[in-house]
Amino acid sequence: MSSILRIALQKSGRLSEDSYQLFKECGIRFDYGTGKLKSVSSNFPAEFLFLRDDDIPGYVEDGVADLGIVGENVAVESTHQVETVHRLGFSKCRLSLAIPRGTDWNGIQDLDGKSIATSYPRILGDYLTYHNVSAEIHQISGSVEIAPGIGLAEAICDIVSSGSTLLSNGLKEVEVIFRSEAILIARTTLDAEKQRLLDKLLFRIKAVQAAKNNKYIVLNAPNEALEQITSLLPGMKSPSVMPLATAGWSSVHSVINENDFWENIEAIRSAGAEGILVIPIEKMIY
Ligand code: ATP
Ligand code: MG
C-alpha cells in the first residue's frame, strides 16, 4: 500500500482558518467544517485529523499523526518530543506577564516571592529561572486573567493579542516572555516514503510563502534611467527589460519584496519610472 501523510489540524479555533487556507493555496483539497473528525484529500496522499490544539503534539509524538500545525507556545509548553519543521507566519501572538493596573513595575525582580497564574507553567518557569526569580506558579487551564481579581494570584502570564481582555480585567502588560506563531511539527522518525511526501508538501508551502512576500512589478522607464531603476529592482535573477513602441522608452518587469516595496518605489518613481503596476504573485518557485 502506498504511504499517506496524516496531518493533525485544530478543529476550530485561532489556527484553523489559516491552516485550511494554507493547504488550499498548496493545491491540496479536503473537506472540513462538516463536523467530521477526519478527511482524506482528493488530490494529495494526505489524511487530515481535526483535533483540539493541545492534543496535537501528543498525537504527533505517538504516531497517530505524522504532522501537525500548532502554536509554538503549545509545542514548547508540551513535554512531547516532536520536531519543528517549518514556521508558518500566521496566528502570531505573545505570551506576557500582566499585573493589576495600579501596581508599580520596576522589572521582573518585582515578582520574587509572588504568585503567578498561568496555563504555561513550563515556559514561565524557564523564564523565571533564567532571570533568577523565585515565584509560585499556579497552573490554571483557562480564564487566567480573572486570577488577580479573585485573589488567586498577584500576576498572570497569558497570551495577549490586542490587550483588551487585560484592560477589561484591570490588568496591564508588563513583560513579553515569548513570541509565538503557527508551526508545522512532525514526528521525529518518519519513514523514507513519508519524508518524501513531507518534502513535497514543504516545497509547496515555501512557494506559497515566497509568493506572499513578493510582488510582480511592471513599469515604463526612459532608457537613460534604466541603469538606476534596475539596480533598485534586483528581481529573481535580474529584471527583464523590453523596448516600448515609443522610442527611448522600455518596459521593466521584475519581482520586489513586500518589505522593500514602499522604500524602493519612491526612488524608482523619482528616477523617472511611469505607469507602475504591482501585481500579486500566486506561487513563486526559486
Ligand atoms: P482548542 O479548543 O483547540 O483547545 P484553544 O482555545 O486552546 O483551542 P485558540 O484560542 O483557538 O486555542 O488558540 C490557538 C492558538 O492560536 C494559540 O495556542 C496561540 O498560538 C494562537 N493564538 C492565541 N490567541 C491568538 C490571537 N489573539 N491572535 C492570533 N493567534 C492567537
Ligand atoms: Mg487548546
Side-chain angles (χ1 to χ4, degrees):
M1 205 191 96
S2 60
S3 207
I4 181 163
L5 272 184
R6 308 185 89 201
I7 307 173
L9 303 180
Q10 188 188 27
K11 187 172 168 51
S12 90
R14 292 185 149 121
L15 293 158
S16 311
E17 268 314 310
D18 286 333
S19 303
Y20 300 152
Q21 181 67 25
L22 175 67
F23 287 100
K24 196 187 263 178
E25 288 169 345
C26 289
I28 298 173
R29 286 199 289 272
F30 62 98
D31 290 332
Y32 59 85
T34 52
K36 282 201 295 187
L37 296 178
K38 52 187 194 173
S39 169
V40 177
S41 169
S42 55
N43 65 350
F44 190 87
E47 177 176 49
F48 293 86
L49 313 177
F50 308 114
L51 303 164
R52 291 280 313 266
D53 69 338
D54 316 68
D55 298 332
I56 293 176
Y59 281 132
V60 169
E61 182 185 38
D62 295 346
V64 173
D66 303 306
L67 306 178
I69 293 182
V70 287
E72 201 179 2
N73 51 312
V74 166
V76 172
E77 182 64 30
S78 117
T79 51
H80 297 288
Q81 293 300 311
V82 295
E83 202 169 321
T84 300
V85 182
H86 199 64
R87 309 180 71 79
L88 300 173
F90 58 82
S91 297
K92 286 192 175 168
C93 59
R94 56 192 194 272
L95 191 59
S96 290
L97 288 162
I99 60 171
R101 221 175 313 150
T103 313
D104 282 346
W105 180 256
N106 304 300
I108 184 74
Q109 298 303 326
D110 287 5
L111 293 177
D112 215 29
K114 299 278 170 48
S115 60
I116 311 170
T118 189
S119 309
Y120 295 91
R122 275 166 57 93
I123 298 177
L124 175 59
D126 287 351
Y127 187 84
L128 294 176
T129 306
Y130 181 79
H131 287 93
N132 228 341
V133 171
S134 150
E136 191 187 330
I137 298 177
H138 277 290
Q139 183 177 358
I140 50 178
S141 56
S143 302
V144 172
E145 62 285 349
I146 64 165
I150 59 172
L152 180 71
E154 290 152 297
I156 67 158
C157 172
D158 202 9
I159 298 284
V160 179
S161 49
S162 69
S164 61
T165 310
L166 292 183
L167 206 64
S168 60
N169 283 283
L171 299 171
K172 62 177 177 188
E173 182 178 4
V174 289
E175 198 131 334
V176 177
I177 74 163
F178 189 81
R179 288 189 191 276
S180 178
E181 66 186 87
I183 56 173
L184 181 69
I185 57 170
R187 192 144 44 90
T188 48
T189 50
L190 290 178
D191 64 33
E193 182 58 14
K194 291 201 186 230
Q195 185 61 49
R196 193 186 65 80
L197 292 175
L198 170 57
D199 291 344
K200 215 168 144 162
L201 173 63
L202 276 175
F203 175 80
R204 295 191 191 190
I205 291 176
K206 287 176 187 168
V208 167
Q209 287 181 328
K212 281 205 170 105
N213 293 333
N214 291 279
K215 296 277 181 269
Y216 192 75
I217 181 166
V218 181
L219 56 85
N220 296 331
N223 288 345
E224 59 274 15
L226 278 178
E227 197 176 327
Q228 193 186 354
I229 289 173
T230 54
S231 73
L232 293 163
L233 287 171
M236 286 174 82
K237 259 205 166 60
S238 67
S240 315
V241 179
M242 285 160 278
L244 286 184
T246 310
W249 282 76
S250 296
S251 166
V252 179
H253 294 224
S254 189
V255 167
I256 186 166
N257 190 282
E258 181 86 333
N259 297 326
D260 304 330
F261 178 74
W262 290 112
E263 196 85 8
N264 285 2
I265 206 71
E266 283 173 31
I268 289 166
R269 262 190 77 206
S270 21
E274 289 179 6
I276 304 170
L277 300 179
V278 179
I279 304 152
I281 299 171
E282 193 179 289
K283 306 281 187 292
M284 187 162 155
I285 294 144
Y286 286 94

